[in-house]
Amino acid sequence: MIRNNTLLFILVFLFASYPVDGWAQRKSKTKFQQQQVKAPNTSPRLVVGIVVDQMRYDYLTRFWNHYGEGGFKRLVNEGFNCKNNHFNYAPTKTGPGHASVFTGTTPAVHGIIANDWYDKDLDRLVYCTEDQTFGSVGTSSDAGKMSPQRMLVTTVGDQLRLHTQMRGKTIAVSLKDRGAILPGGHTANAAYWFHGQNEGLWISSTFYMTELPAWVNDFNVSDAVEQYKKVWSPIKDINSYLESGSDANKYERLFVGETTSAFPHDLVSLWDLNEGFDILKATPFGNSITTDFALAALKGEKLGQDTITDFFAISFSSTDYVGHHFGVNSKEVQDTYVRLDKDLERLLNALDEQVGATEYTVFLTADHGAIHVPAFLKDKKILAGYSELAEKQSEFDDFLKYTFGTTDIVKNISNDQVFLDHKIIGNLDLEIKEVQQVIAQELLGYSFIERVYTGYQMWNNPYNEGIPHILQNGYHQKRSGDVLMVLSPGTVDYDLTGSTHGTPQIYDTHVPLLFYGKGIKNGSTFERTEIPDIAPTIASLLGIAFPNGATGKTLEKVLK
C-alpha cells in the first residue's frame, strides 16, 4: 500500500512539474510544421517552348551588340544560359531536332530518324509527318494531310495533358508542318502551320480538328500576312553589320529573277517567280508572321489564363530558310536575327501582359546548327568540300557488280546511309554482317568520307563517346540503314551556295539553350548539356511524369 502511494505521488509530481501548456505547445508545433511543408512543385500557368531553326550557339555572341534589351538579352541576363549545349545524335535535321527537344530522347527511341527516310517495309521514301489517312483543314490542297503518328513516344506536352486530365492545353505553331506537329505531340489541342504559294494561310489537319477556330479564320482573312509583301532592306545601317561578310558574294543563292544577292530584295517584283507567299519564308518576315500568329493564338486560345498549366510550342523557321539560301556568314542572316530579337521582345511583352510576368516559363533552343559555306571556307584556306557520292555512283555500281554480281543488293542510299536488300543477300547465301563490312570498306576509300560504321556495329557495341556514340543515338534498329557514312569535317552534300547541316560534327551539334521565368535560376554553365535534357527538366519543374521514352536528365542547376 505504501509502495502504491509512493508511485502515485511520483506520477502526480512529474505531471505537475510539466508546464500546463507543454502538450499544447507540442501539438501546435506539429501543426505549424505541417503547414510549413511545401508542395513538391510550383507550376507556371504557361510553358513556352521556342525552337529557332538552324541557330548556331555563336549567333548569340556574334550579334550580341545588335540585340535590344528585351529579347535574347533578357533571356540570357535574367534566365539561365547553357553555353555548352549539344545534340548528342545525328542526323542533325529539323524533324529529329524538334522531336528530340520535346520527347527528351533521340531518334534511336522516338523514331524520327530524318525529315525523309527510306521505309524498308513500304520500299519508298516517307516524310516524317505525312499521313494520308487525315485531311487538310483550312486549305483545299494536300498540305494538311499530316499527323505525328510516325513519332513513337510521347512529348512533355503529352505528359502535361495526361497529368491534368486533358484540361491543360497544348498548342503548337510553326511555318513548317513538322515544326508544329512534332512539338505538339499526339494529344495537342491543335498544331498550325503556314501554307504559302498562292494562299498564305495558317492551316491544320483533321487529326486535330474538323474546322479552324474563329480566331484563326479571322487571322487568315486579315491583312496580317499581306503586309509583309514588300521590300526587304536591312533594319539597321548595313555598314554596322561588321559581324558578317560582304553583301554580295558568290556564296549566296539568288531568288529567281535576281541578278545580285545584295540588299535590297524586292519581294513584290519577285513574288510570282518565287511561289508567291513562299518567298516570305526565306526572309525575316516569316518569323514576324509566326510571331503575329502566336500572339493571336495566345489570346484566342486563352493560354495561361488559369492555374492549370498550358503548353505553347513556337518554332521560328525562317532562320533556317535564310541560312540555306544565303549562308552562315551573310548579312541576310545577321539581319534576320536582329529582327527576330525584336519579335522575341514582342512575344515576351505579350506574355507579361496576358499571363503575368512571374507566371510563365520559357525555354529557347534550336533544332540543329549549321556549317559555313564550304566554298567560303576553302577560299579562307580551311579544309572543306563537297560530297562526291553522286559522281562516284558509277564506280560504286561497278564495285557492287564485281563483288556481288548485281547492284540490286543496294536498295537505297539516303541520309548518309546505305540500305541493303536482305532477301537478295540471303538468296546469294551471304551473311549480312559480311556484306555490310565489305561495302563499308569500299566507301571508306572515298576521300570525302571520314569514317564508316555498319549496322552490325550499331547493334553490338555500346559506344559511350565521340562520333560513334552520336551515330548510335540516331540509329533506330527498325528504320535505319546497314552502313552509315560520316563525311569529313567541313564536307557537305549540298549546293555550292548557302549553308546546310545534318552531320555529327560540332558545328551542327552546338546550339543555344536558354531557360527563363518561373522556377528558373539566374545563371549560366559551361558544363555540357544535351538536347534530350530539356523535356525532363521541364517535367521536373511541373512535377509531371517524364515523356515515356525519355533518356535525358534533369538539369538541376537550372531549377530553383
Side-chain angles (χ1 to χ4, degrees):
M1 186 70 177
I2 295 175
R3 182 178 297 171
N4 289 339
N5 287 339
T6 301
L7 180 59
L8 179 62
F9 175 81
I10 292 172
L11 290 173
V12 171
F13 176 79
L14 289 173
F15 182 83
S17 300
Y18 195 88
V20 175
D21 60 347
W23 299 107
Q25 286 178 346
R26 291 179 61 192
K27 184 177 180 181
S28 176
K29 184 177 180 181
T30 301
K31 184 177 181 180
F32 177 75
Q33 287 174 331
Q34 291 173 344
Q35 291 174 341
Q36 289 297 101
V37 174
K38 294 183 179 180
N41 67 291
T42 304
S43 294
R45 291 184 176 182
L46 179 65
V47 174
V48 183
I50 300 173
V51 177
V52 182
D53 207 324
Q54 200 187 120
M55 185 175 182
R56 292 161 53 108
Y57 176 80
D58 64 352
Y59 287 161
L60 270 182
T61 55
R62 185 172 141 206
F63 305 141
W64 183 262
N65 291 335
H66 291 272
Y67 295 145
E69 298 301 319
F72 284 116
K73 285 186 176 179
R74 177 178 174 182
L75 296 177
V76 170
N77 293 333
E78 300 178 29
F80 197 96
N81 184 5
C82 299
K83 300 180 179 182
N84 188 23
N85 183 64
H86 292 267
F87 283 88
N88 63 341
Y89 68 84
T92 42
K93 296 187 176 183
T94 298
H98 283 78
S100 297
V101 167
F102 291 89
T103 63
T105 190
T106 67
V109 178
H110 62 61
I112 304 298
I113 62 172
N115 294 335
D116 306 87
W117 65 85
Y118 175 73
D119 188 298
K120 302 173 187 178
D121 297 324
L122 298 177
D123 191 24
R124 67 174 176 86
L125 287 175
V126 296
Y127 178 59
C128 59
T129 55
E130 72 172 72
D131 195 334
Q132 296 298 312
T133 62
F134 295 98
S136 300
V137 177
T139 178
S140 59
S141 73
D142 291 341
K145 293 184 175 182
M146 305 283 174
S147 84
Q149 301 290 55
R150 282 192 168 86
M151 185 167 63
L152 304 176
V153 297
T154 62
T155 64
V156 64
D158 287 330
Q159 297 302 148
L160 179 61
R161 292 272 286 157
L162 293 171
H163 185 83
T164 61
Q165 300 302 310
M166 301 297 179
R167 291 178 294 170
K169 280 188 174 182
T170 294
I171 304 293
V173 302
S174 172
L175 290 182
K176 296 181 180 181
D177 46 45
R178 59 187 180 272
I181 293 169
L182 299 174
H186 300 274
T187 62
N189 298 80
Y192 301 103
W193 54 96
F194 185 71
H195 177 54
Q197 299 180 10
N198 64 341
E199 292 189 296
L201 302 172
W202 286 89
I203 67 170
S204 191
S205 164
T206 54
F207 178 84
Y208 305 100
M209 64 192 71
T210 56
E211 60 183 11
L212 296 175
W215 69 265
V216 178
N217 286 325
D218 290 343
F219 188 94
N220 281 338
V221 299
S222 72
D223 65 348
V225 176
E226 289 278 354
Q227 66 174 312
Y228 295 105
K229 186 178 180 180
K230 59 184 181 181
V231 175
W232 174 19
S233 295
I235 196 170
K236 301 179 72 173
D237 181 359
I238 196 170
N239 295 316
S240 70
Y241 287 175
L242 300 177
E243 297 77 12
S244 304
S246 58
D247 189 18
N249 58 70
K250 63 182 180 180
Y251 314 116
E252 300 177 342
R253 194 175 305 168
L254 303 179
F255 287 121
V256 178
E258 284 189 326
T259 58
T260 176
S261 64
F263 278 115
H265 301 287
D266 186 352
L267 305 186
V268 178
S269 65
L270 299 171
W271 196 262
D272 292 335
L273 294 173
N274 292 270
E275 300 295 326
F277 286 98
D278 277 347
I279 196 174
L280 296 176
K281 297 177 181 179
T283 76
F285 303 141
N287 289 333
S288 296
I289 292 168
T290 303
T291 305
D292 295 341
F293 188 75
L295 296 183
L298 181 67
K299 184 176 181 179
E301 298 288 348
K302 297 181 173 59
L303 298 176
Q305 296 303 302
D306 56 33
T307 57
I308 301 174
T309 304
D310 296 324
F311 200 99
F312 194 15
I314 305 170
S315 179
F316 291 104
S317 304
S318 285
T319 42
D320 184 66
Y321 289 110
V322 175
H324 278 297
H325 203 93
F326 295 98
V328 164
N329 203 46
S330 66
K331 293 196 184 299
E332 281 80 3
V333 161
Q334 179 162 359
D335 191 65
T336 297
Y337 276 89
V338 173
R339 289 175 180 268
L340 175 60
D341 181 62
K342 295 182 180 297
D343 284 325
L344 287 174
E345 182 173 2
R346 281 202 294 145
L347 176 62
L348 293 173
N349 288 342
L351 291 169
D352 288 344
E353 181 179 345
Q354 297 181 44
V355 181
T358 61
E359 293 299 328
Y360 64 89
T361 304
V362 174
F363 68 81
L364 182 148
T365 189
D367 57 349
H368 51 73
I371 186 177
H372 273 282
V373 179
F376 164 76
L377 295 176
K378 290 178 69 176
D379 287 345
K380 298 300 179 183
K381 300 181 180 179
I382 296 173
L383 292 177
Y386 295 87
S387 168
E388 299 174 358
L389 191 59
E391 291 81 357
K392 288 281 189 178
Q393 186 64 55
S394 178
E395 180 181 335
F396 184 62
D397 286 345
D398 289 342
F399 156 78
L400 293 176
K401 291 176 184 176
Y402 179 80
T403 307
F404 304 108
T406 177
T407 61
D408 292 341
I409 203 167
V410 172
K411 298 198 74 172
N412 179 267
I413 301 176
S414 57
N415 296 309
D416 295 329
Q417 297 185 22
V418 179
F419 293 79
L420 302 178
D421 191 319
H422 289 211
K423 289 184 179 179
I424 289 180
I425 292 173
N427 291 337
L428 294 173
D429 291 327
L430 299 173
E431 294 292 331
I432 297 293
K433 174 185 175 182
E434 294 176 359
V435 174
Q436 289 177 348
Q437 288 177 331
V438 170
I439 291 177
Q441 191 64 44
E442 168 68 14
L443 293 171
L444 190 58
Y446 297 169
S447 61
F448 54 91
I449 295 178
E450 180 192 33
R451 59 180 82 186
V452 291
Y453 294 89
T454 66
Y456 183 85
Q457 288 176 299
M458 292 292 108
W459 277 54
N460 291 279
N461 295 298
Y463 297 111
N464 296 315
E465 59 184 5
I467 297 293
H469 173 67
I470 292 174
L471 293 178
Q472 194 167 54
N473 283 335
Y475 186 88
H476 191 275
Q477 290 188 343
K478 289 188 175 182
R479 294 181 174 180
S480 296
D482 292 277
V483 180
L484 288 69
M485 299 173 281
V486 179
L487 299 179
S488 300
T491 303
V492 300
D493 183 12
Y494 200 62
D495 299 332
L496 298 178
T497 55
S499 295
T500 192
H501 49 85
T503 76
Q505 307 293 353
I506 200 163
Y507 41 75
D508 284 338
T509 69
H510 189 196
V511 298
L513 176 55
L514 308 175
F515 292 91
Y516 170 88
K518 188 169 187 177
I520 304 300
K521 291 180 181 176
N522 180 214
S524 64
T525 183
F526 284 105
E527 292 182 8
R528 183 182 174 94
T529 59
E530 296 178 337
I531 286 295
D533 299 335
I534 298 172
T537 300
I538 294 299
S540 295
L541 171 70
L542 299 178
I544 64 176
F546 286 12
N548 63 12
T551 54
K553 63 182 182 299
T554 297
L555 300 176
E556 295 183 41
K557 287 190 174 183
V558 168
L559 303 178
K560 288 183 179 178

